[in-house]
Amino acid sequence: ADPMLLFGPDETKIAFQDYLAGQPLGECIVGVETLDAMTDDQIVAKVRNYFWQLAKSESNPDKSEL
């Protein structure tokens, strides 16, 4: 399954993460963030930026950790 980013304004996202933790789909969660109300365009921008940063960090690991 594809990676998932959970976000929203309340604790429901945490309950959902806990629910998925015992299932194979739970391994797909790459982040959980608290965010206020957003427009559709803001949601798209947030998700694109998050996964762009994730891909960037995975392709350029910090050499100081070696």
Side-chain angles (χ1 to χ4, degrees), residues 37-64:
M38 301 172 75
T39 66
D40 289 346
D41 288 341
Q42 289 172 321
I43 291 170
V44 169
K46 173 66 179 173
V47 171
R48 282 185 181 158
N49 185 54
Y50 184 90
F51 284 104
W52 180 81
Q53 291 290 336
L54 183 64
K56 183 178 170 183
S57 68
E58 288 176 352
S59 66
N60 295 316
D62 186 355
K63 292 184 179 18
S64 66

Side-chain angles (χ1 to χ4, degrees), residues 9-38:
D10 59 21
E11 296 302 314
T12 305
K13 64 193 168 296
I14 303 299
F16 187 53
Q17 179 185 26
D18 291 344
Y19 170 76
L20 291 177
Q23 303 178 34
L25 198 54
E27 297 176 12
C28 298
I29 298 172
V30 295
V32 179
E33 296 187 16
T34 299
L35 300 172
D36 290 328
M38 301 172 75

